[in-house]
Short mmCIF file of all heavy atoms in Angstrom, two decimals:
data_model
loop_
_atom_site.label_atom_id
_atom_site.label_comp_id
_atom_site.label_asym_id
_atom_site.label_seq_id
_atom_site.Cartn_x
_atom_site.Cartn_y
_atom_site.Cartn_z
N VAL A 1467 183.81 -143.47 83.26
CA VAL A 1467 183.38 -142.06 83.19
C VAL A 1467 181.86 -142.00 83.24
O VAL A 1467 181.28 -141.19 83.97
CB VAL A 1467 183.95 -141.38 81.93
CG1 VAL A 1467 183.32 -140.01 81.72
CG2 VAL A 1467 185.46 -141.27 82.00
N LYS A 1468 181.21 -142.87 82.49
CA LYS A 1468 179.73 -142.92 82.48
C LYS A 1468 179.22 -143.28 83.88
O LYS A 1468 178.24 -142.71 84.35
CB LYS A 1468 179.26 -143.93 81.44
CG LYS A 1468 177.74 -143.97 81.27
CD LYS A 1468 177.37 -144.93 80.13
CE LYS A 1468 175.91 -144.98 79.90
NZ LYS A 1468 175.41 -143.83 79.14
N LEU A 1469 179.89 -144.21 84.54
CA LEU A 1469 179.51 -144.60 85.90
C LEU A 1469 179.63 -143.40 86.84
O LEU A 1469 178.72 -143.12 87.62
CB LEU A 1469 180.41 -145.75 86.37
CG LEU A 1469 179.92 -146.60 87.51
CD1 LEU A 1469 178.63 -147.34 87.15
CD2 LEU A 1469 180.99 -147.60 87.92
N THR A 1470 180.72 -142.67 86.74
CA THR A 1470 180.93 -141.47 87.56
C THR A 1470 179.81 -140.46 87.34
O THR A 1470 179.25 -139.92 88.29
CB THR A 1470 182.29 -140.81 87.24
OG1 THR A 1470 183.32 -141.75 87.52
CG2 THR A 1470 182.50 -139.55 88.05
N ARG A 1471 179.49 -140.23 86.07
CA ARG A 1471 178.46 -139.24 85.74
C ARG A 1471 177.07 -139.68 86.20
O ARG A 1471 176.19 -138.84 86.38
CB ARG A 1471 178.47 -138.97 84.24
CG ARG A 1471 179.70 -138.22 83.81
CD ARG A 1471 179.73 -137.95 82.33
NE ARG A 1471 180.93 -137.20 81.99
CZ ARG A 1471 181.51 -137.22 80.81
NH1 ARG A 1471 180.99 -137.93 79.82
NH2 ARG A 1471 182.60 -136.52 80.60
N SER A 1472 176.88 -140.97 86.40
CA SER A 1472 175.56 -141.46 86.82
C SER A 1472 175.35 -141.35 88.33
O SER A 1472 174.25 -141.58 88.82
CB SER A 1472 175.36 -142.90 86.35
OG SER A 1472 176.15 -143.81 87.10
N ILE A 1473 176.40 -141.00 89.07
CA ILE A 1473 176.28 -140.83 90.52
C ILE A 1473 175.67 -139.45 90.78
O ILE A 1473 176.18 -138.44 90.31
CB ILE A 1473 177.65 -140.93 91.23
CG1 ILE A 1473 178.28 -142.30 90.98
CG2 ILE A 1473 177.51 -140.66 92.73
CD1 ILE A 1473 179.73 -142.41 91.44
N PRO A 1474 174.55 -139.40 91.51
CA PRO A 1474 173.95 -138.09 91.82
C PRO A 1474 174.95 -137.17 92.52
O PRO A 1474 175.77 -137.63 93.32
CB PRO A 1474 172.78 -138.43 92.75
CG PRO A 1474 172.49 -139.87 92.50
CD PRO A 1474 173.80 -140.50 92.12
N VAL A 1475 174.88 -135.89 92.23
CA VAL A 1475 175.82 -134.90 92.79
C VAL A 1475 175.93 -135.03 94.30
O VAL A 1475 177.03 -135.00 94.86
CB VAL A 1475 175.40 -133.46 92.38
CG1 VAL A 1475 176.25 -132.42 93.07
CG2 VAL A 1475 175.46 -133.29 90.88
N GLU A 1476 174.79 -135.20 94.97
CA GLU A 1476 174.82 -135.26 96.44
C GLU A 1476 175.52 -136.52 96.96
O GLU A 1476 175.85 -136.61 98.14
CB GLU A 1476 173.40 -135.17 97.01
CG GLU A 1476 172.48 -136.31 96.65
CD GLU A 1476 171.72 -136.13 95.33
OE1 GLU A 1476 172.08 -135.24 94.53
OE2 GLU A 1476 170.76 -136.90 95.11
N ASN A 1477 175.80 -137.50 96.09
CA ASN A 1477 176.45 -138.75 96.51
C ASN A 1477 177.90 -138.86 96.03
O ASN A 1477 178.55 -139.86 96.28
CB ASN A 1477 175.66 -139.95 96.01
CG ASN A 1477 174.33 -140.10 96.70
OD1 ASN A 1477 174.05 -139.40 97.68
ND2 ASN A 1477 173.50 -140.98 96.21
N LYS A 1478 178.41 -137.85 95.37
CA LYS A 1478 179.75 -137.93 94.78
C LYS A 1478 180.85 -138.08 95.83
O LYS A 1478 181.91 -138.63 95.54
CB LYS A 1478 180.04 -136.71 93.92
CG LYS A 1478 179.14 -136.59 92.72
CD LYS A 1478 179.84 -136.89 91.45
CE LYS A 1478 178.93 -136.60 90.27
NZ LYS A 1478 178.95 -137.66 89.30
N GLN A 1479 180.63 -137.60 97.04
CA GLN A 1479 181.65 -137.63 98.09
C GLN A 1479 181.35 -138.65 99.18
O GLN A 1479 181.88 -138.55 100.29
CB GLN A 1479 181.81 -136.24 98.70
CG GLN A 1479 182.26 -135.17 97.73
CD GLN A 1479 183.65 -135.43 97.20
OE1 GLN A 1479 184.56 -135.80 97.94
NE2 GLN A 1479 183.83 -135.26 95.90
N LEU A 1480 180.52 -139.64 98.88
CA LEU A 1480 180.11 -140.60 99.92
C LEU A 1480 181.28 -141.38 100.52
O LEU A 1480 181.27 -141.66 101.72
CB LEU A 1480 179.07 -141.58 99.38
CG LEU A 1480 177.67 -141.04 99.18
CD1 LEU A 1480 176.75 -142.13 98.63
CD2 LEU A 1480 177.10 -140.47 100.47
N LEU A 1481 182.28 -141.73 99.72
CA LEU A 1481 183.41 -142.47 100.28
C LEU A 1481 184.06 -141.68 101.40
O LEU A 1481 184.42 -142.22 102.44
CB LEU A 1481 184.44 -142.81 99.20
CG LEU A 1481 184.06 -143.85 98.17
CD1 LEU A 1481 185.19 -144.06 97.16
CD2 LEU A 1481 183.70 -145.18 98.82
N LYS A 1482 184.20 -140.39 101.18
CA LYS A 1482 184.82 -139.52 102.18
C LYS A 1482 183.85 -139.25 103.33
O LYS A 1482 184.21 -139.36 104.49
CB LYS A 1482 185.25 -138.21 101.51
CG LYS A 1482 185.94 -137.26 102.45
CD LYS A 1482 186.55 -136.02 101.82
CE LYS A 1482 185.86 -135.48 100.64
NZ LYS A 1482 186.37 -134.19 100.17
N GLU A 1483 182.61 -138.89 102.98
CA GLU A 1483 181.65 -138.47 104.00
C GLU A 1483 181.18 -139.62 104.89
O GLU A 1483 181.03 -139.45 106.10
CB GLU A 1483 180.44 -137.81 103.34
CG GLU A 1483 180.76 -136.50 102.67
CD GLU A 1483 179.65 -135.99 101.77
OE1 GLU A 1483 178.62 -136.67 101.61
OE2 GLU A 1483 179.81 -134.89 101.20
N GLN A 1484 180.90 -140.78 104.31
CA GLN A 1484 180.35 -141.88 105.10
C GLN A 1484 181.42 -142.83 105.63
O GLN A 1484 181.28 -143.38 106.71
CB GLN A 1484 179.34 -142.68 104.28
CG GLN A 1484 178.03 -141.98 104.13
CD GLN A 1484 176.95 -142.90 103.59
OE1 GLN A 1484 177.16 -144.07 103.31
NE2 GLN A 1484 175.76 -142.36 103.42
N LEU A 1485 182.47 -143.05 104.84
CA LEU A 1485 183.48 -144.03 105.24
C LEU A 1485 184.77 -143.41 105.74
O LEU A 1485 185.63 -144.10 106.26
CB LEU A 1485 183.80 -144.97 104.08
CG LEU A 1485 182.62 -145.77 103.49
CD1 LEU A 1485 183.12 -146.72 102.44
CD2 LEU A 1485 181.87 -146.52 104.57
N GLY A 1486 184.90 -142.09 105.56
CA GLY A 1486 186.13 -141.44 105.99
C GLY A 1486 187.32 -141.77 105.10
O GLY A 1486 188.47 -141.60 105.52
N PHE A 1487 187.07 -142.21 103.87
CA PHE A 1487 188.15 -142.54 102.94
C PHE A 1487 188.88 -141.26 102.57
O PHE A 1487 188.30 -140.30 102.09
CB PHE A 1487 187.58 -143.22 101.70
CG PHE A 1487 188.60 -143.57 100.65
CD1 PHE A 1487 189.66 -144.41 100.95
CD2 PHE A 1487 188.49 -143.07 99.36
CE1 PHE A 1487 190.60 -144.74 99.98
CE2 PHE A 1487 189.41 -143.40 98.38
CZ PHE A 1487 190.47 -144.24 98.70
N LYS A 1488 190.18 -141.25 102.80
CA LYS A 1488 190.98 -140.05 102.57
C LYS A 1488 191.55 -139.99 101.15
O LYS A 1488 192.21 -139.03 100.78
CB LYS A 1488 192.15 -140.01 103.56
CG LYS A 1488 191.72 -140.12 105.00
CD LYS A 1488 191.62 -138.77 105.65
CE LYS A 1488 191.46 -138.87 107.13
NZ LYS A 1488 190.13 -138.65 107.60
N GLY A 1489 191.32 -141.03 100.37
CA GLY A 1489 191.90 -141.10 99.03
C GLY A 1489 193.21 -141.85 99.08
O GLY A 1489 193.68 -142.26 100.13
N TYR A 1490 193.77 -142.04 97.91
CA TYR A 1490 195.06 -142.73 97.81
C TYR A 1490 196.18 -141.71 97.88
O TYR A 1490 196.02 -140.56 97.49
CB TYR A 1490 195.14 -143.49 96.48
CG TYR A 1490 194.11 -144.58 96.33
CD1 TYR A 1490 193.00 -144.42 95.49
CD2 TYR A 1490 194.23 -145.76 97.03
CE1 TYR A 1490 192.06 -145.42 95.35
CE2 TYR A 1490 193.28 -146.77 96.90
CZ TYR A 1490 192.21 -146.60 96.05
OH TYR A 1490 191.28 -147.59 95.92
N LYS A 1491 197.34 -142.14 98.37
CA LYS A 1491 198.50 -141.26 98.42
C LYS A 1491 199.14 -141.18 97.04
O LYS A 1491 199.18 -142.17 96.31
CB LYS A 1491 199.51 -141.80 99.43
CG LYS A 1491 199.03 -141.69 100.87
CD LYS A 1491 200.12 -142.13 101.83
CE LYS A 1491 199.70 -141.91 103.25
NZ LYS A 1491 198.85 -142.92 103.80
N ILE A 1492 199.66 -140.02 96.71
CA ILE A 1492 200.34 -139.82 95.43
C ILE A 1492 201.47 -140.84 95.31
O ILE A 1492 202.22 -141.07 96.25
CB ILE A 1492 200.86 -138.38 95.30
CG1 ILE A 1492 199.67 -137.43 95.21
CG2 ILE A 1492 201.78 -138.23 94.10
CD1 ILE A 1492 200.01 -135.98 95.13
N GLY A 1493 201.52 -141.46 94.14
CA GLY A 1493 202.55 -142.47 93.90
C GLY A 1493 202.10 -143.87 94.26
O GLY A 1493 202.76 -144.84 93.91
N GLU A 1494 200.97 -144.00 94.96
CA GLU A 1494 200.48 -145.31 95.38
C GLU A 1494 199.26 -145.75 94.59
O GLU A 1494 198.66 -146.77 94.92
CB GLU A 1494 200.13 -145.29 96.87
CG GLU A 1494 201.31 -145.10 97.78
CD GLU A 1494 200.91 -145.11 99.24
OE1 GLU A 1494 199.72 -145.22 99.56
OE2 GLU A 1494 201.82 -145.00 100.08
N PHE A 1495 198.87 -144.98 93.59
CA PHE A 1495 197.68 -145.37 92.84
C PHE A 1495 197.85 -145.05 91.37
O PHE A 1495 198.70 -144.26 90.97
CB PHE A 1495 196.43 -144.68 93.40
CG PHE A 1495 196.36 -143.21 93.11
CD1 PHE A 1495 195.63 -142.75 92.02
CD2 PHE A 1495 197.03 -142.29 93.88
CE1 PHE A 1495 195.57 -141.40 91.74
CE2 PHE A 1495 196.98 -140.94 93.61
CZ PHE A 1495 196.24 -140.48 92.53
N GLY A 1496 197.04 -145.73 90.58
CA GLY A 1496 197.03 -145.50 89.14
C GLY A 1496 195.59 -145.59 88.67
O GLY A 1496 194.65 -145.60 89.49
N PRO A 1497 195.39 -145.69 87.38
CA PRO A 1497 194.03 -145.75 86.84
C PRO A 1497 193.20 -146.89 87.43
O PRO A 1497 192.01 -146.72 87.70
CB PRO A 1497 194.24 -145.95 85.34
CG PRO A 1497 195.60 -145.40 85.07
CD PRO A 1497 196.39 -145.65 86.32
N ARG A 1498 193.81 -148.03 87.67
CA ARG A 1498 193.08 -149.18 88.21
C ARG A 1498 192.47 -148.86 89.58
O ARG A 1498 191.30 -149.12 89.83
CB ARG A 1498 194.01 -150.40 88.29
CG ARG A 1498 193.31 -151.65 88.72
CD ARG A 1498 194.27 -152.86 88.64
NE ARG A 1498 193.77 -153.86 89.53
CZ ARG A 1498 194.06 -153.93 90.83
NH1 ARG A 1498 194.87 -153.05 91.38
NH2 ARG A 1498 193.52 -154.86 91.58
N GLN A 1499 193.26 -148.28 90.47
CA GLN A 1499 192.76 -147.95 91.81
C GLN A 1499 191.68 -146.86 91.73
O GLN A 1499 190.68 -146.92 92.45
CB GLN A 1499 193.91 -147.49 92.72
CG GLN A 1499 194.83 -148.60 93.14
CD GLN A 1499 195.83 -149.00 92.05
OE1 GLN A 1499 196.05 -148.29 91.08
NE2 GLN A 1499 196.43 -150.17 92.21
N THR A 1500 191.88 -145.90 90.85
CA THR A 1500 190.90 -144.84 90.67
C THR A 1500 189.57 -145.43 90.19
O THR A 1500 188.50 -145.05 90.66
CB THR A 1500 191.42 -143.79 89.68
OG1 THR A 1500 192.66 -143.27 90.18
CG2 THR A 1500 190.44 -142.65 89.49
N ARG A 1501 189.64 -146.36 89.25
CA ARG A 1501 188.42 -146.98 88.73
C ARG A 1501 187.75 -147.85 89.77
O ARG A 1501 186.53 -147.91 89.85
CB ARG A 1501 188.74 -147.75 87.45
CG ARG A 1501 189.13 -146.81 86.32
CD ARG A 1501 189.57 -147.53 85.08
NE ARG A 1501 190.09 -146.54 84.14
CZ ARG A 1501 191.02 -146.79 83.23
NH1 ARG A 1501 191.52 -148.00 83.12
NH2 ARG A 1501 191.43 -145.85 82.43
N ARG A 1502 188.54 -148.51 90.60
CA ARG A 1502 187.96 -149.30 91.70
C ARG A 1502 187.25 -148.37 92.69
O ARG A 1502 186.17 -148.68 93.18
CB ARG A 1502 189.05 -150.12 92.41
CG ARG A 1502 189.57 -151.29 91.58
CD ARG A 1502 190.72 -152.00 92.27
NE ARG A 1502 190.26 -152.65 93.49
CZ ARG A 1502 189.84 -153.91 93.56
NH1 ARG A 1502 189.80 -154.67 92.48
NH2 ARG A 1502 189.45 -154.42 94.70
N ALA A 1503 187.87 -147.22 92.98
CA ALA A 1503 187.24 -146.25 93.89
C ALA A 1503 185.94 -145.72 93.28
O ALA A 1503 184.95 -145.53 94.00
CB ALA A 1503 188.19 -145.11 94.20
N THR A 1504 185.92 -145.52 91.97
CA THR A 1504 184.69 -145.08 91.30
C THR A 1504 183.61 -146.14 91.45
O THR A 1504 182.47 -145.82 91.77
CB THR A 1504 184.95 -144.79 89.81
OG1 THR A 1504 185.88 -143.70 89.72
CG2 THR A 1504 183.66 -144.43 89.09
N ALA A 1505 183.98 -147.39 91.23
CA ALA A 1505 183.01 -148.49 91.38
C ALA A 1505 182.50 -148.54 92.82
O ALA A 1505 181.31 -148.69 93.07
CB ALA A 1505 183.64 -149.82 90.98
N ALA A 1506 183.42 -148.40 93.78
CA ALA A 1506 183.03 -148.42 95.19
C ALA A 1506 182.08 -147.27 95.50
O ALA A 1506 181.07 -147.46 96.19
CB ALA A 1506 184.28 -148.34 96.08
N ASN A 1507 182.36 -146.08 94.99
CA ASN A 1507 181.50 -144.94 95.25
C ASN A 1507 180.14 -145.12 94.59
O ASN A 1507 179.11 -144.78 95.17
CB ASN A 1507 182.16 -143.64 94.79
CG ASN A 1507 181.52 -142.43 95.42
OD1 ASN A 1507 181.40 -142.36 96.64
ND2 ASN A 1507 181.09 -141.49 94.61
N TRP A 1508 180.13 -145.67 93.37
CA TRP A 1508 178.85 -145.91 92.69
C TRP A 1508 178.02 -146.91 93.49
O TRP A 1508 176.81 -146.71 93.69
CB TRP A 1508 179.07 -146.42 91.27
CG TRP A 1508 177.78 -146.54 90.53
CD1 TRP A 1508 177.16 -145.56 89.81
CD2 TRP A 1508 176.91 -147.69 90.48
NE1 TRP A 1508 175.96 -146.03 89.30
CE2 TRP A 1508 175.79 -147.34 89.69
CE3 TRP A 1508 176.98 -148.97 91.01
CZ2 TRP A 1508 174.75 -148.24 89.44
CZ3 TRP A 1508 175.95 -149.86 90.76
CH2 TRP A 1508 174.84 -149.48 89.98
N LEU A 1509 178.65 -147.98 93.97
CA LEU A 1509 177.92 -148.98 94.77
C LEU A 1509 177.41 -148.37 96.08
O LEU A 1509 176.28 -148.65 96.49
CB LEU A 1509 178.81 -150.20 95.04
CG LEU A 1509 179.09 -151.07 93.82
CD1 LEU A 1509 180.27 -152.01 94.07
CD2 LEU A 1509 177.85 -151.87 93.43
N LEU A 1510 178.22 -147.53 96.72
CA LEU A 1510 177.79 -146.87 97.95
C LEU A 1510 176.62 -145.94 97.66
O LEU A 1510 175.64 -145.88 98.42
CB LEU A 1510 178.97 -146.11 98.56
CG LEU A 1510 178.82 -145.62 99.99
CD1 LEU A 1510 178.49 -146.77 100.95
CD2 LEU A 1510 180.10 -144.92 100.43
N SER A 1511 176.67 -145.24 96.54
CA SER A 1511 175.56 -144.38 96.12
C SER A 1511 174.31 -145.21 95.86
O SER A 1511 173.21 -144.82 96.27
CB SER A 1511 175.95 -143.59 94.87
OG SER A 1511 174.87 -142.83 94.40
#
Side-chain angles (χ1 to χ4, degrees):
V1467 170
K1468 185 176 181 78
L1469 200 63
T1470 299
R1471 290 180 179 154
S1472 73
I1473 300 170
V1475 174
E1476 64 273 14
N1477 291 351
K1478 297 252 186 226
Q1479 298 296 317
L1480 286 180
L1481 289 179
K1482 182 172 32 173
E1483 293 168 358
Q1484 285 193 0
L1485 301 185
F1487 178 59
K1488 306 263 191 257
Y1490 297 106
K1491 290 185 175 81
I1492 292 178
E1494 294 181 358
F1495 72 97
R1498 185 174 157 273
Q1499 289 78 15
T1500 302
R1501 292 175 188 152
R1502 288 175 66 92
T1504 297
N1507 198 53
W1508 186 88
L1509 289 164
L1510 194 56
S1511 176

